Amino acid sequence: MVVRTDTPATRAALVAEAAGILLNGGVVVLPTDTVYGLAAHPGHPEAVARLSTIKGRAEEKPLALLASREEALAALGGTLSPAARRLAARFWPGALTLVVDCAGRTEGVRIPDHALARAIIAACGGLLRVTSANRAGEPPALTAEAALRDVGADADLVIDGGPVSGGTASTVVRDAPGGWRILREGAIPASAIKAAVAERASTAPRGSLPSDGARPLLLFVCSGNTCRSPMAEALMRARLPPACRWKIGSAGTLAGDGLPASLLAQQAMAEQGLSLAAHRSRPVTPDLVREAGLVVVMGRHHFERIIACSPAARDKVFLLGRFSPREAGLEIDDPAGGPLADYRQCRDEINACLPGLTAFLDVLA
């Protein structure tokens, strides 16, 4: 068991460490907006089972999912009713758990109002199983010290994010075809839930990053900078709102200067209404890596090459597949030399990772 303290200077490295442990089947204690939580990746059933063992609770009792963004719900096969969408618009991120039908099963889903927690969840693909970091029947832990005393010794990592300000469990609302109902009144009172359902849905855009004039660079990197990274650059630029303060770019570890995007990459993107006609390749340089606030690579060999040239950048280089809701740690294969179908598959795999990456930007911006 390791204890780490969250600070602005160490946050990116801490997110990477926590995500690495979770993606490899470990268990992490982390702060949320309500209480300290005990987390495991849903893709590792043995790790999820450890949560119940550590807490001393029955394994058949359901464990909620914490999400980094609302799009993660779609990956589960879940949809929200109009009433639930109004609740999500009003209370997410926050202390609302929505219990929804997801492809033949029922899941409780919440988006925490805690930047560090959302960043870790995003780095793990957008979803984590999380339960309160205390023994069954005991009060919830509001500090890392309390969590460590109760359950932390059995976890692989304990993150000290300071005292949490919540202290009250989330309100749980069941969203079903027959209507909604409150299963547990918690941090959000029943009166506020009823009022939000009665309101018209907000039309304000969600997911905009704060704008303070800074323009950190989000740099996508592949090999030749003619297929994968320019597709990622275009898809991400189209996804982010106009008010986003990140600038988006791409480069290649083996790229030459001034080459256009491959014709099949251009065709695959044109099918999405996006053009790569103006793209010209460029190589990754130490200066470009130094400028970047975040470097997102397609394969592990790209990570290794960048770190070999710029060792100080290790904490800001991430594999794009870390943000995949389908397969955490996925490498995006190079479609070069293949048919159009390979480029389409590459495009779609990249696109599936971008909601999680977008949530991660909220913390690093």
Side-chain angles (χ1 to χ4, degrees):
M1 184 272 298
V2 177
V3 179
R4 301 280 191 229
T5 301
D6 175 43
T7 68
T10 63
R11 175 161 290 191
L14 184 57
V15 169
E17 180 180 8
I21 290 170
L22 290 160
L23 289 169
N24 284 287
V27 170
V28 172
V29 171
L30 75 171
T32 76
D33 52 335
T34 54
V35 298
Y36 269 75
L38 191 63
H41 195 282
H44 290 280
E46 69 286 353
V48 175
R50 276 182 65 195
L51 301 185
S52 296
T53 300
I54 292 171
K55 277 185 66 76
R57 61 179 275 173
E59 284 191 27
E60 61 269 17
K61 292 186 70 174
L63 296 173
L65 285 163
L66 292 195
S68 55
R69 289 176 64 86
E70 190 174 331
E71 287 85 348
L73 186 61
L76 294 170
T79 57
L80 298 179
S81 69
R85 285 198 295 272
R86 287 195 286 275
L87 290 174
R90 174 66 180 83
F91 297 114
W92 276 358
L96 170 71
T97 298
L98 288 174
V99 179
V100 297
D101 294 325
C102 297
R105 67 188 189 279
T106 301
E107 294 282 6
V109 183
R110 185 169 84 84
I111 301 178
D113 189 12
H114 195 284
L116 174 61
R118 289 201 308 274
I120 292 171
I121 297 165
C124 292
L127 291 167
L128 288 176
R129 292 278 180 199
V130 182
T131 185
S132 58
N134 56 274
R135 297 284 296 173
E138 297 297 321
L142 304 184
T143 65
E145 291 80 6
L148 181 60
R149 182 175 60 249
D150 281 0
V151 299
D154 295 316
D156 301 297
L157 173 67
V158 175
I159 298 174
D160 186 352
V164 298
S165 58
T168 304
S170 66
T171 294
V172 181
V173 175
R174 175 71 166 107
D175 182 35
W180 64 274
R181 67 184 188 277
I182 298 174
L183 301 182
R184 180 183 72 193
E185 186 174 7
I188 303 171
S191 59
I193 295 291
K194 294 173 183 176
V197 170
E199 291 174 358
R200 294 185 64 184
S202 170
T203 57
R206 295 175 58 81
S208 297
L209 297 173
S211 176
D212 63 3
R215 293 280 288 168
L217 171 64
L218 168 60
L219 183 68
F220 289 101
V221 174
C222 66
S223 298
N225 193 214
T226 58
C227 300
R228 291 169 289 179
S229 58
M231 286 198 289
E233 177 186 355
L235 288 165
M236 194 64 173
R237 186 175 285 115
R239 168 176 287 275
L240 292 177
C244 173
R245 71 180 194 176
W246 286 85
K247 57 182 179 180
I248 316 298
S250 64
T253 55
L254 301 175
D257 274 311
L259 295 176
S262 73
L263 292 176
L264 290 180
Q266 292 190 49
Q267 184 174 343
M269 295 302 290
E271 293 174 352
Q272 303 294 305
L274 299 173
S275 174
L276 296 182
H279 173 78
R280 293 297 180 268
S281 65
R282 61 175 171 173
V284 174
T285 64
D287 286 344
L288 196 55
V289 172
R290 193 177 304 113
E291 177 191 354
L294 186 68
V295 181
V296 180
V297 300
M298 302 295 141
R300 292 180 178 83
H301 59 292
H302 302 126
F303 178 94
E304 293 163 0
R305 185 177 287 267
I306 289 173
I307 297 308
C309 296
S310 303
R314 176 177 294 273
D315 291 340
K316 64 178 181 181
V317 183
F318 289 82
L319 190 70
L320 178 60
R322 275 209 167 170
F323 306 101
S324 170
R326 302 170 187 167
E327 180 185 345
L330 174 77
E331 290 194 83
I332 308 298
D333 291 333
D334 191 350
L340 178 59
D342 289 350
Y343 285 79
R344 288 170 172 158
Q345 180 178 347
C346 178
R347 175 200 66 202
D348 294 344
E349 287 178 352
I350 291 170
N351 211 22
C353 297
L354 298 187
L357 175 57
T358 303
F360 193 42
L361 297 184
D362 286 328
V363 176
L364 299 184

